[in-house]
Amino acid sequence: MAKNRKKVVLLIVEGESDETLLIDRLRELFKDHEIRFEPQRGDILYDIKRQGKPIKDVIGEIVKEVLIKRKFKQSDILAVIHIVDTDGCLIPEDNVLVDNQQETLTYYQNNCISVSTEAQKNNILNRNDIRSRNIRTMNSVSSIVSNKYNYQMFYFSRNLEHVIFDDPNPSSETKVDNIEVFLDDLALPLEEYLLQFMPDTDAEGYNEQYIASWTFISQGIKSLQRSTNVPLMFNFIELKTSEL
């Protein structure tokens, strides 16, 4: 395939950690595509500046902004992939607990989100309500921007560092360095490593597995626990490539 005919896989992510973890492996596997990460450096599922707009429109606007900035045409895009952290936002309200002795404002545990004040509890409950509604909207969407672009959303729970390092409360200063060290030491393909954290379901076929993975993470307190459906992202790209 000629270089100027490469299809673009556009990945919308929260920060640089996702790009550091995934970009080399994606480029290795999908040499005939252009892999383009667009870190948002924030949580677009709970963006105060954009609240009030339907989340599908918010993500659509981001995609259109990227297309203008990168000078991509509609025909250039193979798929838009959105990777999010669950941040425990799908848990019941009763699992957000106040601990007045806690030094940190918010602390994520395997069975609850612990906060230091009632005010922060209200903040987390509000955030969880908005994020969970937005997630439930977008995990059922297969195309965006007037159905022009294939779309799929994948998750790390509670976050990328939780899945990779079993650290649900990572320090932001060392995230990228830690991932680089992890990749240097990784002895098997990244997607195979991540498979051990895929939800265990009886689903067969990509679409069924995708739906089952979101059903799984939406139950009880599972969005606080160590899980990801990102291995399905590789299948999604292969599927859309086969449709060309």
Side-chain angles (χ1 to χ4, degrees), residues 108-171:
Y108 293 87
Q109 304 186 50
N110 281 336
N111 60 356
C112 70
I113 300 175
S114 179
V115 297
S116 58
T117 66
E118 285 289 344
Q120 181 62 0
K121 177 179 179 179
N122 291 333
N123 290 338
I124 292 295
L125 289 176
N126 181 61
R127 181 207 69 173
N128 286 0
D129 177 58
I130 293 170
R131 289 189 94 249
S132 63
R133 283 190 279 112
N134 287 338
I135 282 175
R136 290 186 175 100
T137 295
M138 296 312 298
N139 68 20
S140 62
V141 165
S142 60
S143 62
I144 55 173
V145 189
S146 301
N147 300 322
K148 292 178 182 177
Y149 306 108
N150 298 311
Y151 171 90
Q152 208 87 110
M153 183 169 67
F154 303 92
Y155 64 80
F156 286 108
S157 184
R158 185 196 69 89
N159 52 40
L160 183 154
E161 288 76 20
H162 190 196
V163 173
I164 299 299
F165 305 116
D166 197 15
D167 182 3
N169 297 279
S171 168

Side-chain angles (χ1 to χ4, degrees), residues 19-29 35 37 183:
E19 180 175 2
T20 302
L21 179 70
L22 295 166
I23 190 167
D24 287 344
R25 184 56 178 159
L26 286 172
R27 285 178 172 171
E28 181 180 6
L29 287 172
I35 306 299
F37 277 79
L183 290 173

Side-chain angles (χ1 to χ4, degrees), residues 146-202:
S146 301
N147 300 322
K148 292 178 182 177
Y149 306 108
N150 298 311
Y151 171 90
Q152 208 87 110
M153 183 169 67
F154 303 92
Y155 64 80
F156 286 108
S157 184
R158 185 196 69 89
N159 52 40
L160 183 154
E161 288 76 20
H162 190 196
V163 173
I164 299 299
F165 305 116
D166 197 15
D167 182 3
N169 297 279
S171 168
S172 59
E173 289 79 10
T174 58
K175 284 182 177 183
V176 172
D177 289 343
N178 289 344
I179 292 168
E180 289 175 347
V181 171
F182 162 78
L183 290 173
D184 286 342
D185 294 339
L186 187 63
L188 71 166
L190 175 63
E191 66 275 21
E192 292 184 20
Y193 176 84
L194 293 175
L195 272 174
Q196 66 185 303
F197 305 110
M198 270 283 293
D200 186 13
T201 72
D202 296 327

